[in-house]
Structure formats: structure tokens, C-alpha cells
Amino acid sequence: MDAPLTSPSENPLNLLSEGLSLVQQGREEEAMSCWEKAVKLRPDAASFIWENMGKALEKQGKALWEAENYEGAVRCFQGAVQLQPDNAEYWNYLAASQRRSGDAEAALSSYETALNLEPDAAYIWDNRGYALFSLGRYQEAIASYQKVLELDSDYANAYYNIACLYGLQGDVDLGIQNLQRAIELDAECREVAKTDRDFDSLRQNSRFQALLEE
């Protein structure tokens, strides 16, 4: 019997399949090594390989996020942005995972990269606001949410988070004003505000109470 022309480890399709299997096991670095070998064997298919393997890492990262394994999600999205550094959505996912894993500074850096790629993406500005919020940089967070509203004036979440930030600072008028607008756009904001500790400084205010009872 003739010997095969290539061993399994030298077959690009086998390497891609092996990489996907490694991703499913949470072994992202080993998966990257497999895909790099595949690219060396088929440099003409490099863009196809990186695009599809990026999607595989994205899928795995989202699954880990849903399972609240944020550190695992960070590893997946770090691999995804390594494969496709011009993909703003991957940078956004990486940043969100970094924030949830407790590294808001790294998240902020990733959001900046995402916004350099897509400066008019309201959802990224909104997520950037969360990172600033968690770092206690309230005025910068408000500015980030205001940028969201410049891009999309009906973005209820931005109004709500601005209200939260003013609530934390004890600014009754601006807290209520922004919360009212959030509720006008999304009635669910009223229910969330009823138990949100960010509004504790406003709870005794009659206007705040009336807003939640409407």
C-alpha cells in the first residue's frame, strides 16, 4: 500500500478540525498553534482560515460568557482579536469579558481600540461607560453615555445609566430628569429603578417616588 502523501499533522483540514476541538476544551493557545500550522501549509487560504477560526473563538467565548466563565471568555476573544485585529465587535466582546472578570482598566483599553475601528458605534460607547462607571470615573462615564445619545437619541440604557450616575452623586434634578426619559423610552426601567441601589440618595424625594408609581 502506498504511504499517504502527508501525515495527519500536515493536513490543513485536520489541523483546523483539531483546533476547533481544542477550543471546545478551552485550550485556545493550542488551537492557535494548530491554525498557525495550517496557514503555513496553505498561505493562499490564510484569510479564510483566520476569518472562520475567529468565528469559532467568538462562539466559544460567548458560550463561556453565558456560563459566567469570564476569564475563559477573555482568552477566546484575545485569540479572536489576534486573528482579526480590525474586528471592532471582537474587541467589544473582549472588553466586556475583561470588565466582568474584574479588569476594568484592560476593558477600557479594548473599548478604545474598538472605537478607533468603529467610532460611531453607540453600543460600544455605552459599554465603555460601564467600564468607566466601575472605575469610579463618573464624569467620564457620563460623557461616554452622552456620546451614545448623540449617536442615538432614543437609547434608553444610556439615559438610565446617566440617571444612576447622578443618583450616586446626589443630584436629584438630573437623576430624575434622565430616569424619566429612560422610562419614557423603556417602561422596564421603572421596575429596575425600584430596587437599584444607585438611586438610594433619591428615594425620599417625592418626585422620584411619584415617577416610580406612575
Side-chain angles (χ1 to χ4, degrees):
M1 181 180 294
D2 291 336
L5 293 177
T6 61
S7 69
S9 64
E10 294 175 340
N11 185 308
L13 291 178
N14 288 343
L15 288 166
L16 296 183
S17 178
E18 182 181 351
L20 290 174
S21 177
L22 289 166
V23 166
Q24 292 172 353
Q25 299 171 47
R27 297 159 63 185
E28 295 82 9
E29 291 184 7
E30 293 172 71
M32 287 287 293
S33 179
C34 284
W35 297 334
E36 287 170 355
K37 289 178 184 177
V39 169
K40 288 179 180 179
L41 291 168
R42 286 293 305 275
D44 58 308
S47 60
F48 171 84
I49 292 171
W50 291 146
E51 179 180 355
N52 284 276
M53 298 311 102
K55 290 178 180 177
L57 285 167
E58 177 190 13
K59 182 177 180 180
Q60 179 69 5
K62 287 181 177 178
L64 290 167
W65 170 281
E66 292 297 328
E68 298 184 3
N69 182 349
Y70 301 119
E71 292 181 357
V74 166
R75 291 195 300 273
C76 283
F77 291 120
Q78 283 175 331
V81 299
Q82 183 177 341
L83 295 174
Q84 294 187 52
D86 59 349
N87 189 313
E89 191 170 2
Y90 288 173
W91 281 104
N92 176 68
Y93 287 138
L94 171 59
S97 301
Q98 288 168 325
R99 183 178 66 82
R100 284 296 186 93
S101 69
D103 194 347
E105 289 286 0
L108 194 57
S109 177
S110 295
Y111 283 130
E112 296 298 340
T113 301
L115 288 169
N116 284 334
L117 294 166
E118 287 191 21
D120 293 334
Y123 75 98
I124 299 177
W125 283 103
D126 186 54
N127 290 336
R128 176 178 179 270
Y130 281 116
L132 290 163
F133 197 147
S134 63
L135 288 168
R137 294 160 62 174
Y138 292 170
Q139 295 307 313
E140 291 175 80
I142 289 172
S144 195
Y145 291 127
Q146 288 173 336
K147 180 63 178 181
V148 175
L149 297 174
E150 289 178 20
L151 296 165
D152 182 354
S153 60
D154 292 334
Y155 208 112
N157 195 59
Y159 280 109
Y160 184 88
N161 286 315
I162 290 173
C164 288
L165 286 158
Y166 282 125
L168 287 168
Q169 297 175 83
D171 191 323
V172 175
D173 290 337
L174 287 175
I176 292 174
Q177 176 184 318
N178 283 278
L179 180 58
Q180 181 173 4
R181 182 58 179 148
I183 291 171
E184 288 171 356
L185 292 167
D186 182 356
E188 181 64 24
C189 291
R190 175 181 285 113
E191 296 306 312
V192 176
K194 288 180 180 179
T195 57
D196 195 327
R197 297 292 302 273
D198 293 345
F199 295 118
D200 283 357
S201 68
L202 311 183
R203 295 205 181 278
Q204 302 307 311
N205 183 276
S206 59
R207 287 185 294 147
F208 180 82
Q209 294 171 357
L211 182 59
L212 296 190
E213 291 171 0
E214 291 179 6

